[in-house]
mmCIF file of all heavy atoms in Angstrom:
data_model
loop_
_atom_site.group_PDB
_atom_site.id
_atom_site.type_symbol
_atom_site.label_atom_id
_atom_site.label_comp_id
_atom_site.label_asym_id
_atom_site.label_seq_id
_atom_site.Cartn_x
_atom_site.Cartn_y
_atom_site.Cartn_z
ATOM 1 N N VAL F 1 145.686 118.832 -20.487
ATOM 2 C CA VAL F 1 145.986 118.604 -21.888
ATOM 3 C C VAL F 1 144.756 118.948 -22.685
ATOM 4 O O VAL F 1 143.668 118.472 -22.412
ATOM 5 C CB VAL F 1 146.356 117.124 -22.196
ATOM 6 C CG1 VAL F 1 146.663 116.937 -23.609
ATOM 7 C CG2 VAL F 1 147.520 116.693 -21.320
ATOM 8 N N GLY F 2 144.950 119.807 -23.694
ATOM 9 C CA GLY F 2 143.894 120.276 -24.539
ATOM 10 C C GLY F 2 143.666 119.283 -25.694
ATOM 11 O O GLY F 2 144.671 118.691 -26.201
ATOM 12 N N TYR F 3 142.505 119.112 -26.156
ATOM 13 C CA TYR F 3 142.075 118.221 -27.316
ATOM 14 C C TYR F 3 141.618 119.137 -28.421
ATOM 15 O O TYR F 3 140.514 119.823 -28.267
ATOM 16 C CB TYR F 3 141.110 117.197 -26.843
ATOM 17 C CG TYR F 3 140.581 116.350 -28.007
ATOM 18 C CD1 TYR F 3 141.432 115.449 -28.677
ATOM 19 C CD2 TYR F 3 139.297 116.542 -28.546
ATOM 20 C CE1 TYR F 3 140.933 114.708 -29.778
ATOM 21 C CE2 TYR F 3 138.883 115.764 -29.524
ATOM 22 C CZ TYR F 3 139.682 114.853 -30.184
ATOM 23 O OH TYR F 3 139.204 114.100 -31.266
ATOM 24 N N LYS F 4 142.236 119.106 -29.619
ATOM 25 C CA LYS F 4 141.817 119.928 -30.732
ATOM 26 C C LYS F 4 141.137 119.112 -31.832
ATOM 27 O O LYS F 4 140.822 119.586 -32.887
ATOM 28 C CB LYS F 4 143.021 120.674 -31.300
ATOM 29 C CG LYS F 4 143.661 121.585 -30.342
ATOM 30 C CD LYS F 4 144.763 122.485 -30.993
ATOM 31 C CE LYS F 4 145.803 121.675 -31.721
ATOM 32 N NZ LYS F 4 146.890 122.438 -32.356
ATOM 33 N N GLY F 5 141.030 117.793 -31.653
ATOM 34 C CA GLY F 5 140.517 116.867 -32.562
ATOM 35 C C GLY F 5 139.049 117.121 -32.886
ATOM 36 O O GLY F 5 138.302 117.957 -32.244
ATOM 37 N N THR F 6 138.467 116.311 -33.787
ATOM 38 C CA THR F 6 137.098 116.460 -34.205
ATOM 39 C C THR F 6 136.228 115.203 -33.907
ATOM 40 O O THR F 6 135.129 115.139 -34.178
ATOM 41 C CB THR F 6 136.967 116.712 -35.695
ATOM 42 O OG1 THR F 6 137.641 115.629 -36.422
ATOM 43 C CG2 THR F 6 137.698 118.048 -35.958
ATOM 44 N N LYS F 7 136.826 114.220 -33.225
ATOM 45 C CA LYS F 7 136.071 112.970 -33.039
ATOM 46 C C LYS F 7 135.025 113.202 -31.913
ATOM 47 O O LYS F 7 135.184 114.078 -31.051
ATOM 48 C CB LYS F 7 137.064 111.873 -32.566
ATOM 49 C CG LYS F 7 138.124 111.475 -33.565
ATOM 50 C CD LYS F 7 137.559 110.770 -34.811
ATOM 51 C CE LYS F 7 138.805 110.383 -35.664
ATOM 52 N NZ LYS F 7 138.323 109.686 -36.793
ATOM 53 N N ARG F 8 134.015 112.412 -31.980
ATOM 54 C CA ARG F 8 132.901 112.578 -31.067
ATOM 55 C C ARG F 8 133.195 112.217 -29.610
ATOM 56 O O ARG F 8 132.797 112.823 -28.649
ATOM 57 C CB ARG F 8 131.620 111.802 -31.553
ATOM 58 C CG ARG F 8 130.463 111.987 -30.628
ATOM 59 C CD ARG F 8 129.204 111.461 -31.236
ATOM 60 N NE ARG F 8 128.124 111.601 -30.299
ATOM 61 C CZ ARG F 8 126.847 111.333 -30.560
ATOM 62 N NH1 ARG F 8 126.500 111.019 -31.755
ATOM 63 N NH2 ARG F 8 125.999 111.505 -29.610
ATOM 64 N N TYR F 9 134.037 111.125 -29.517
ATOM 65 C CA TYR F 9 134.303 110.568 -28.111
ATOM 66 C C TYR F 9 135.785 110.684 -27.770
ATOM 67 O O TYR F 9 136.613 110.535 -28.614
ATOM 68 C CB TYR F 9 133.890 109.121 -28.046
ATOM 69 C CG TYR F 9 132.405 108.814 -28.319
ATOM 70 C CD1 TYR F 9 131.911 108.597 -29.615
ATOM 71 C CD2 TYR F 9 131.543 108.930 -27.265
ATOM 72 C CE1 TYR F 9 130.642 108.362 -29.830
ATOM 73 C CE2 TYR F 9 130.154 108.744 -27.507
ATOM 74 C CZ TYR F 9 129.681 108.504 -28.818
ATOM 75 O OH TYR F 9 128.380 108.272 -29.069
ATOM 76 N N VAL F 10 136.004 111.029 -26.556
ATOM 77 C CA VAL F 10 137.380 111.196 -26.010
ATOM 78 C C VAL F 10 137.395 110.446 -24.707
ATOM 79 O O VAL F 10 136.417 110.451 -23.911
ATOM 80 C CB VAL F 10 137.687 112.734 -25.805
ATOM 81 C CG1 VAL F 10 139.070 112.909 -25.303
ATOM 82 C CG2 VAL F 10 137.495 113.473 -27.021
ATOM 83 N N ARG F 11 138.578 109.850 -24.422
ATOM 84 C CA ARG F 11 138.800 109.205 -23.134
ATOM 85 C C ARG F 11 140.248 109.151 -22.808
ATOM 86 O O ARG F 11 141.111 109.597 -23.587
ATOM 87 C CB ARG F 11 138.300 107.730 -23.153
ATOM 88 C CG ARG F 11 139.183 106.786 -23.952
ATOM 89 C CD ARG F 11 138.718 105.369 -23.851
ATOM 90 N NE ARG F 11 139.699 104.452 -24.501
ATOM 91 C CZ ARG F 11 139.494 103.167 -24.723
ATOM 92 N NH1 ARG F 11 138.251 102.638 -24.288
ATOM 93 N NH2 ARG F 11 140.355 102.385 -25.240
ATOM 94 N N VAL F 12 140.542 108.808 -21.507
ATOM 95 C CA VAL F 12 141.903 108.641 -21.111
ATOM 96 C C VAL F 12 142.170 107.203 -20.885
ATOM 97 O O VAL F 12 141.324 106.481 -20.281
ATOM 98 C CB VAL F 12 142.124 109.452 -19.765
ATOM 99 C CG1 VAL F 12 143.477 108.992 -19.164
ATOM 100 C CG2 VAL F 12 142.145 110.865 -20.108
ATOM 101 N N ALA F 13 143.389 106.706 -21.353
ATOM 102 C CA ALA F 13 143.785 105.344 -21.067
ATOM 103 C C ALA F 13 145.120 105.473 -20.363
ATOM 104 O O ALA F 13 145.870 106.590 -20.500
ATOM 105 C CB ALA F 13 143.968 104.527 -22.339
ATOM 106 N N VAL F 14 145.497 104.527 -19.489
ATOM 107 C CA VAL F 14 146.773 104.633 -18.733
ATOM 108 C C VAL F 14 147.441 103.311 -18.936
ATOM 109 O O VAL F 14 146.793 102.198 -18.890
ATOM 110 C CB VAL F 14 146.503 104.974 -17.267
ATOM 111 C CG1 VAL F 14 145.711 103.857 -16.578
ATOM 112 C CG2 VAL F 14 147.891 105.225 -16.598
ATOM 113 N N THR F 15 148.780 103.355 -19.141
ATOM 114 C CA THR F 15 149.573 102.164 -19.124
ATOM 115 C C THR F 15 150.533 102.258 -17.951
ATOM 116 O O THR F 15 151.348 103.153 -17.808
ATOM 117 C CB THR F 15 150.443 102.082 -20.391
ATOM 118 O OG1 THR F 15 149.625 102.179 -21.542
ATOM 119 C CG2 THR F 15 151.339 100.953 -20.440
ATOM 120 N N ALA F 16 150.350 101.285 -17.025
ATOM 121 C CA ALA F 16 151.047 101.232 -15.715
ATOM 122 C C ALA F 16 152.186 100.226 -15.920
ATOM 123 O O ALA F 16 152.001 99.168 -16.474
ATOM 124 C CB ALA F 16 150.142 100.882 -14.626
ATOM 125 N N SER F 17 153.341 100.613 -15.440
ATOM 126 C CA SER F 17 154.479 99.653 -15.456
ATOM 127 C C SER F 17 155.337 99.821 -14.229
ATOM 128 O O SER F 17 155.423 100.927 -13.645
ATOM 129 C CB SER F 17 155.329 99.904 -16.754
ATOM 130 O OG SER F 17 155.888 101.203 -16.769
ATOM 131 N N GLY F 18 155.989 98.761 -13.798
ATOM 132 C CA GLY F 18 156.904 98.754 -12.579
ATOM 133 C C GLY F 18 156.153 99.120 -11.284
ATOM 134 O O GLY F 18 156.697 99.672 -10.421
ATOM 135 N N THR F 19 154.896 98.695 -11.227
ATOM 136 C CA THR F 19 154.093 99.002 -9.982
ATOM 137 C C THR F 19 154.086 97.838 -9.090
ATOM 138 O O THR F 19 154.045 96.667 -9.451
ATOM 139 C CB THR F 19 152.652 99.356 -10.365
ATOM 140 O OG1 THR F 19 152.007 98.278 -10.997
ATOM 141 C CG2 THR F 19 152.618 100.604 -11.278
ATOM 142 N N THR F 20 154.107 98.170 -7.737
ATOM 143 C CA THR F 20 153.857 97.263 -6.697
ATOM 144 C C THR F 20 152.588 97.631 -5.949
ATOM 145 O O THR F 20 151.516 96.967 -6.009
ATOM 146 C CB THR F 20 155.068 97.064 -5.749
ATOM 147 O OG1 THR F 20 156.170 96.712 -6.526
ATOM 148 C CG2 THR F 20 154.764 96.049 -4.687
ATOM 149 N N SER F 21 152.658 98.858 -5.432
ATOM 150 C CA SER F 21 151.494 99.418 -4.706
ATOM 151 C C SER F 21 150.873 100.476 -5.538
ATOM 152 O O SER F 21 149.714 100.932 -5.295
ATOM 153 C CB SER F 21 151.887 100.013 -3.341
ATOM 154 O OG SER F 21 152.993 100.818 -3.495
ATOM 155 N N GLY F 22 151.568 101.018 -6.701
ATOM 156 C CA GLY F 22 150.951 101.923 -7.664
ATOM 157 C C GLY F 22 150.733 103.266 -7.207
ATOM 158 O O GLY F 22 151.585 103.892 -6.507
ATOM 159 N N GLY F 23 149.624 103.835 -7.609
ATOM 160 C CA GLY F 23 149.317 105.234 -7.330
ATOM 161 C C GLY F 23 147.841 105.500 -7.495
ATOM 162 O O GLY F 23 147.133 104.812 -8.134
ATOM 163 N N THR F 24 147.441 106.609 -6.801
ATOM 164 C CA THR F 24 145.973 106.955 -6.812
ATOM 165 C C THR F 24 145.910 108.215 -7.707
ATOM 166 O O THR F 24 146.577 109.251 -7.554
ATOM 167 C CB THR F 24 145.517 107.329 -5.453
ATOM 168 O OG1 THR F 24 145.701 106.207 -4.513
ATOM 169 C CG2 THR F 24 144.019 107.772 -5.344
ATOM 170 N N TYR F 25 144.999 108.129 -8.715
ATOM 171 C CA TYR F 25 144.711 109.217 -9.644
ATOM 172 C C TYR F 25 143.369 108.962 -10.389
ATOM 173 O O TYR F 25 142.806 107.860 -10.341
ATOM 174 C CB TYR F 25 145.891 109.379 -10.609
ATOM 175 C CG TYR F 25 146.262 108.123 -11.357
ATOM 176 C CD1 TYR F 25 145.734 107.784 -12.581
ATOM 177 C CD2 TYR F 25 147.269 107.319 -10.814
ATOM 178 C CE1 TYR F 25 146.111 106.657 -13.249
ATOM 179 C CE2 TYR F 25 147.662 106.175 -11.470
ATOM 180 C CZ TYR F 25 147.053 105.814 -12.636
ATOM 181 O OH TYR F 25 147.449 104.662 -13.310
ATOM 182 N N GLY F 26 142.991 109.965 -11.151
ATOM 183 C CA GLY F 26 141.809 109.844 -11.932
ATOM 184 C C GLY F 26 141.912 110.911 -13.013
ATOM 185 O O GLY F 26 142.770 111.733 -13.066
ATOM 186 N N ALA F 27 140.910 110.912 -13.907
ATOM 187 C CA ALA F 27 140.890 111.861 -14.985
ATOM 188 C C ALA F 27 139.456 112.294 -15.360
ATOM 189 O O ALA F 27 138.526 111.498 -15.338
ATOM 190 C CB ALA F 27 141.603 111.358 -16.238
ATOM 191 N N SER F 28 139.308 113.566 -15.687
ATOM 192 C CA SER F 28 138.008 114.101 -16.065
ATOM 193 C C SER F 28 138.271 114.849 -17.368
ATOM 194 O O SER F 28 139.365 115.310 -17.740
ATOM 195 C CB SER F 28 137.437 115.107 -15.036
ATOM 196 O OG SER F 28 137.257 114.454 -13.789
ATOM 197 N N ILE F 29 137.139 115.067 -18.092
ATOM 198 C CA ILE F 29 137.120 115.874 -19.323
ATOM 199 C C ILE F 29 136.187 117.036 -19.143
ATOM 200 O O ILE F 29 134.997 116.877 -18.835
ATOM 201 C CB ILE F 29 136.821 115.018 -20.525
ATOM 202 C CG1 ILE F 29 137.935 113.890 -20.724
ATOM 203 C CG2 ILE F 29 136.736 115.818 -21.808
ATOM 204 C CD1 ILE F 29 137.729 112.982 -21.849
ATOM 205 N N VAL F 30 136.716 118.222 -19.378
ATOM 206 C CA VAL F 30 135.990 119.429 -19.344
ATOM 207 C C VAL F 30 135.543 119.708 -20.796
ATOM 208 O O VAL F 30 136.338 119.810 -21.647
ATOM 209 C CB VAL F 30 136.772 120.631 -18.751
ATOM 210 C CG1 VAL F 30 135.924 121.920 -18.756
ATOM 211 C CG2 VAL F 30 137.334 120.367 -17.422
ATOM 212 N N LEU F 31 134.255 119.779 -21.001
ATOM 213 C CA LEU F 31 133.659 120.156 -22.259
ATOM 214 C C LEU F 31 133.225 121.537 -22.254
ATOM 215 O O LEU F 31 132.563 122.016 -21.325
ATOM 216 C CB LEU F 31 132.454 119.218 -22.542
ATOM 217 C CG LEU F 31 132.716 117.710 -22.601
ATOM 218 C CD1 LEU F 31 131.419 116.869 -22.749
ATOM 219 C CD2 LEU F 31 133.731 117.373 -23.697
ATOM 220 N N ALA F 32 133.541 122.261 -23.340
ATOM 221 C CA ALA F 32 133.322 123.705 -23.361
ATOM 222 C C ALA F 32 132.884 124.152 -24.747
ATOM 223 O O ALA F 32 133.040 123.424 -25.740
ATOM 224 C CB ALA F 32 134.502 124.521 -22.902
ATOM 225 N N ASN F 33 132.432 125.405 -24.814
ATOM 226 C CA ASN F 33 131.986 126.021 -26.038
ATOM 227 C C ASN F 33 130.969 125.252 -26.858
ATOM 228 O O ASN F 33 131.151 124.747 -27.892
ATOM 229 C CB ASN F 33 133.299 126.203 -26.871
ATOM 230 C CG ASN F 33 133.013 127.219 -28.063
ATOM 231 O OD1 ASN F 33 131.960 127.903 -28.087
ATOM 232 N ND2 ASN F 33 134.003 127.373 -28.965
ATOM 233 N N PRO F 34 129.759 125.082 -26.202
ATOM 234 C CA PRO F 34 128.688 124.282 -26.874
ATOM 235 C C PRO F 34 128.092 125.015 -27.983
ATOM 236 O O PRO F 34 128.033 126.241 -28.061
ATOM 237 C CB PRO F 34 127.683 124.100 -25.714
ATOM 238 C CG PRO F 34 127.871 125.309 -24.867
ATOM 239 C CD PRO F 34 129.308 125.650 -24.955
ATOM 240 N N ARG F 35 127.637 124.293 -28.949
ATOM 241 C CA ARG F 35 126.863 124.856 -30.073
ATOM 242 C C ARG F 35 125.431 125.322 -29.580
ATOM 243 O O ARG F 35 124.871 126.170 -30.137
ATOM 244 C CB ARG F 35 126.734 123.871 -31.218
ATOM 245 C CG ARG F 35 128.042 123.606 -32.016
ATOM 246 C CD ARG F 35 127.792 122.660 -33.064
ATOM 247 N NE ARG F 35 128.804 122.229 -33.995
ATOM 248 C CZ ARG F 35 130.074 122.417 -33.992
ATOM 249 N NH1 ARG F 35 130.657 122.930 -32.987
ATOM 250 N NH2 ARG F 35 130.938 121.937 -34.913
#
């Protein structure tokens, strides 16, 4: 997912529902086009 906003900080939040054993996952942010 691309981020076009202007805020300084970005993160991922997750809302889990209907889980018993759940799932394995993670998230990273690729930063590009530095000044």
Side-chain angles (χ1 to χ4, degrees):
V1 179
Y3 173 72
K4 300 188 303 182
T6 60
K7 302 288 185 178
R8 180 170 178 171
Y9 299 92
V10 181
R11 76 176 184 187
V12 166
V14 62
T15 301
S17 58
T19 62
T20 301
S21 52
T24 302
Y25 53 90
S28 298
I29 297 179
V30 179
L31 299 173
N33 196 10
R35 288 180 177 17

